[in-house]
Amino acid sequence: MSKIFFIGKTPPPLGGVTVFNQRKFEQLSEESKDNNVILIEPNLKNILKIIFSLKSDAIKHLSASNFIIILFSYLFSKPKTVIFYDHNSSRHFLSLVGWKKKVYLKFFLKCKNIMLVNEHLKENYRVFDEFDEINNKFITISAFLPPAKAELADILSTYDQRLLDLYETALKNQQRKIILTSAFQPNLDSKGADIYTLSCLIDIFCELALKYKDDYFLVAIANYPETSFSQEIKEKVRLLTDKYDNLIFLENDKKIWPLLTVTKLFIRATTTDGDSVSLREALYFGAPVLASDVVPRPDGIMLFNLEKDDLSQKVDEYLGSY
């Protein structure tokens, strides 16, 4: 039996990339019945396993962008045995200089394919003088893979009673009652802006929760890193928890996809993006989506501009017309 290696972080923590990795590994395992698909988490204790896998003739799916992993892949992998997944890590290529830039280029030249979760990401690779030599390796894919319905009961068991009652009642009555935004973790982009517009959205949700008392405003944050901005958001959430009956904070890596079946509006207000898994999930489950226009988005969603548009007004207008 042949081997296929998948190198990538899986939940926890819960985020677009880790969810994709878990589902992609499961998909490969299901589709490759004649192969042994082996998952390797990219951490220090697995360094020898990673090097061994890279040296082998087997196909390696690499869904990790840590420079050490890229360096090892360049040094140890055989040509055309690595399939690399770019989830928007290439946005950092402009800052590459010197030998690190050369390592990335030589790695890409060795790759079998470079999988882009959005077509626009290809432009990030033009920083390399040999762009034409890797141009034939690009394949654009969606980062979204449908969730396994079999895990529904396990996910619902992680919800508190208030959220579970809300979900079950809305589902039974075929209602969409939730206005939802989600974030992997509070973070700032390279310009110092709130990547998920979390602070602003929390303020908007507080304001609109008073106006639309029959709806529920839900902010899902998977985890909080030990950064000053993240802790600032965590404190803000703590102060607002239970302040309004219809304002809910969902934390600690809880999955949100069941809630999308009863979501009235999903908001993706990011300052940068690849191919958002949560946005794709919202569309998959029929939830209307309002998203920033920072990258090309799928058809069928409402767009707004972070600098020119009033996000609060956009949400208010939509809810008022629902």
Side-chain angles (χ1 to χ4, degrees):
M1 180 177 285
S2 300
K3 292 180 180 179
I4 296 175
F5 292 96
F6 188 94
I7 305 171
K9 184 77 179 73
T10 57
L14 197 66
V17 176
T18 59
V19 168
F20 169 84
N21 290 345
Q22 181 67 49
R23 294 178 185 172
K24 187 65 180 178
F25 169 69
E26 292 170 352
Q27 182 189 63
L28 288 171
S29 299
E30 181 66 27
E31 293 177 351
S32 306
K33 297 290 189 181
D34 298 328
N35 297 297
N36 182 19
V37 184
I38 301 170
L39 173 67
I40 304 178
E41 297 272 342
N43 53 44
L44 191 59
K45 73 175 184 179
N46 286 335
I47 286 296
L48 291 179
K49 288 182 181 179
I50 291 171
I51 293 174
F52 171 79
S53 70
L54 291 171
K55 284 185 172 182
S56 73
D57 293 328
I59 292 295
K60 280 77 67 174
H61 292 259
L62 179 58
S63 186
S65 58
N66 179 284
F67 177 70
I68 298 300
I69 301 294
I70 300 297
L71 176 62
F72 283 178
S73 298
Y74 155 58
L75 291 174
F76 299 119
S77 70
K78 296 184 178 181
K80 297 185 178 180
T81 62
V82 175
I83 299 172
F84 175 70
Y85 292 82
D86 179 2
H87 296 271
N88 199 22
S89 61
S90 59
R91 70 186 186 275
H92 300 299
F93 286 175
L94 276 175
S95 64
L96 288 177
V97 293
W99 69 277
K100 279 192 174 183
K101 186 174 181 180
K102 290 180 181 178
V103 167
Y104 271 95
L105 174 61
K106 290 181 181 296
F107 163 65
F108 292 136
L109 289 170
K110 290 183 78 173
C111 282
K112 176 181 175 67
N113 292 116
I114 302 169
M115 316 299 278
L116 308 175
V117 299
N118 204 313
E119 180 70 22
H120 79 279
L121 297 180
K122 185 190 291 188
E123 295 303 308
N124 295 333
Y125 292 77
R126 292 189 183 276
V127 300
F128 300 108
D129 293 336
E130 295 83 350
F131 172 80
D132 289 341
E133 295 182 40
I134 59 175
N135 191 28
N136 66 333
K137 298 176 183 284
F138 295 114
I139 298 176
T140 302
I141 61 168
S142 173
F144 172 69
L145 295 169
K149 301 293 179 65
E151 65 179 5
L152 176 61
D154 288 339
I155 296 173
L156 295 180
S157 70
T158 68
Y159 294 169
D160 64 25
Q161 195 60 48
R162 177 174 66 148
L163 184 57
L164 187 61
D165 289 344
L166 166 60
Y167 166 78
E168 291 178 342
T169 300
L171 194 65
K172 179 181 178 181
N173 296 329
Q174 297 183 319
Q175 296 175 314
R176 290 188 174 272
K177 303 291 289 183
I178 296 174
I179 295 83
L180 172 61
T181 193
S182 66
F184 166 53
Q185 59 187 27
N187 212 343
L188 301 176
D189 64 18
S190 59
K191 298 178 181 178
D194 180 352
I195 286 182
Y196 295 97
T197 319
L198 268 177
S199 185
C200 177
L201 278 168
I202 291 172
D203 291 340
I204 291 171
F205 280 17
C206 286
E207 177 186 344
L208 295 180
L210 294 171
K211 182 175 182 178
Y212 298 97
K213 294 184 177 181
D214 291 332
D215 289 322
Y216 291 82
F217 295 80
L218 194 151
V219 180
I221 302 174
N223 70 97
Y224 297 95
E226 293 299 324
T227 64
S228 58
F229 175 70
S230 177
Q231 295 305 305
E232 176 186 319
I233 294 295
K234 187 176 183 179
E235 178 62 14
K236 188 171 190 172
V237 168
R238 187 188 69 80
L239 292 173
L240 291 170
T241 297
D242 297 326
K243 185 173 182 179
Y244 306 102
D245 290 339
N246 60 338
L247 177 63
I248 301 171
F249 295 98
L250 190 64
E251 301 168 288
N252 301 319
D253 280 319
K254 290 185 173 63
K255 296 182 180 180
I256 64 170
W257 67 257
L259 301 174
L260 293 170
T261 60
V262 293
T263 290
K264 180 177 288 187
L265 181 65
F266 177 79
I267 303 171
R268 180 77 174 180
T270 48
T271 63
T272 183
D273 229 332
D275 183 34
S276 166
V277 171
S278 55
L279 184 152
R280 293 277 187 179
E281 281 185 336
L283 292 175
Y284 180 78
F285 288 108
V289 175
L290 175 65
S292 55
D293 61 359
V294 292
V295 297
R297 300 292 194 183
D299 293 336
I301 67 175
M302 298 170 281
L303 296 174
F304 73 95
N305 185 276
L306 281 165
E307 295 182 1
K308 297 178 182 178
D309 293 323
D310 183 330
L311 180 54
S312 178
Q313 182 180 346
K314 286 281 185 181
V315 178
D316 190 12
E317 288 177 352
Y318 177 80
L319 296 179
S321 65
Y322 191 85

